[in-house]
Amino acid sequence: MSDRPPLIVAVDRKDLARRAADEVVTRARAAIASRGVFHVALAGGSTPRELYATLAREERAHFARWHAWFGDERRVPPDDEKSNFRMATQTLLEPADIPEEHWHPIRVWEGEPEEAAQTYERELLMHLGPSPRFDLVLLGMGADGHVASIFPGSKALEEVEHDVVATFVEKLGAWRVTLTVRAINRSRAVIFLVAGTEKAAALHAVLEGPRDPARFPAQAISPESEDCLWLVDRAAASGLSGPQNRE
Ligand code: 6PG
């Protein structure tokens, strides 16, 4: 990509979590100051665990004003160890005392994937209006450059009618429900959290390679607000050729 977005390279995962927590709280406080509420779409997977645990200890975050949404969900029960909702509940929602009526899981366990996507989109529209705009979307990135459950070649890349879709992920042989690129790019801010040497090749391709979002969906993410921050650790940044920190 030609104009590289702001990138902060943390020493390690602990430093990454600390820096990310500061960035999230800054955006939360700004949203609450101007609109009285903070709507955040949480990332799944494993990288955000440390961030959520660090955030839960934040005194300055005004958690009572947070609404916790999800960028995507796997088609598993809410108590399954693979569930993004379970991970976020254990590491952030409960420890931070975010009011339960402000938890917005993608209820993949309540019916067919398409129904769960439609239900979630209706809930988004009800809370955020006809063009739902998150204050912040947190994203991880897979070693193949996927974000949320938008995998290479996914229909969610081109979706123009819906903010949420159900998608069958061939490489996983599993259904997922995910926000679409359109929904993510409408947000006020996006923060990517990427850690580990296994992500280095994809990070180099996404940030420094030719533009090919069908192959590297992370390249499709470019919020209209232009507040898009990449927070990575040194291991993930090891494949980058350009200047390491660009704050
Ligand atoms: C998911 C996530 C997914 C994740 C990446 C990175 O449901 O798996 O939403 O997009 O962010 O796969 O996962 P790790 O943080 O575990 O490497």
Side-chain angles (χ1 to χ4, degrees):
M1 290 169 81
S2 51
D3 52 338
R4 282 173 49 168
L7 174 103
I8 296 176
V9 181
V11 171
D12 54 23
R13 287 174 184 260
K14 203 162 187 57
D15 184 38
L16 181 67
R18 177 68 267 154
R19 287 166 174 261
D22 287 345
E23 295 291 342
V24 172
V25 170
T26 298
R27 289 165 178 76
R29 289 167 64 89
I32 292 163
S34 51
R35 289 175 298 279
V37 67
F38 178 55
H39 288 279
V40 56
L42 299 174
S46 56
T47 305
R49 293 186 74 95
E50 186 123 21
L51 162 60
Y52 298 161
T54 304
L55 269 177
R57 297 192 292 272
E58 275 293 341
E59 303 290 327
R60 315 162 292 150
H62 304 301
F63 286 116
R65 302 295 184 86
W66 287 37
H67 278 253
W69 301 85
F70 289 82
D72 71 324
E73 190 55 273
R74 297 94 177 267
R75 196 172 182 221
V76 294
D79 58 355
D80 187 293
E81 63 176 12
K82 294 193 189 71
S83 164
N84 290 335
F85 173 56
R86 177 177 181 266
M87 183 272 283
T89 302
Q90 288 180 338
T91 55
L92 178 62
L93 308 189
E94 282 178 344
D97 255 342
I98 294 174
E100 265 195 63
E101 60 273 23
H102 293 182
W103 302 0
H104 305 282
I106 303 175
R107 299 174 178 278
V108 288
W109 54 84
E110 286 178 355
E112 294 308 308
E114 288 293 353
E115 291 169 310
Q118 289 158 13
T119 302
Y120 191 59
E121 185 160 42
R122 275 197 301 275
E123 191 173 351
L124 264 180
L125 297 172
M126 187 171 71
H127 282 270
L128 293 175
S131 282
R133 193 170 189 213
F134 294 103
D135 294 303
L136 173 62
V137 176
L138 290 172
L139 293 173
M141 186 187 74
D144 59 359
H146 80 259
V147 291
S149 285
I150 307 170
F151 284 76
S154 165
K155 69 174 184 179
L157 280 159
E158 305 305 329
E159 174 62 45
V160 290
E161 266 183 55
H162 293 285
D163 283 353
V164 188
V165 292
T167 171
F168 186 76
V169 183
E170 295 295 341
K171 74 184 284 188
L172 302 176
W175 280 94
R176 295 282 188 96
V177 174
T178 185
L179 292 180
T180 58
V181 168
R182 177 180 96 148
I184 296 169
N185 283 344
R186 199 187 300 121
S187 64
R188 289 189 172 85
V190 170
I191 295 178
F192 281 95
L193 277 172
V194 185
T197 42
E198 72 279 10
K199 308 289 177 74
L203 193 64
H204 165 68
V206 167
L207 295 183
E208 298 178 328
R211 183 164 171 71
D212 185 1
R215 188 159 165 233
F216 297 105
Q219 288 187 335
I221 304 306
S222 173
E224 297 150 14
S225 63
E226 298 186 0
D227 181 357
C228 183
L229 173 63
W230 286 79
L231 272 168
V232 306
D233 71 355
R234 276 186 185 158
S238 58
L240 295 181
S241 54
Q244 287 305 304
N245 275 307
R246 288 185 327 286
E247 301 190 41

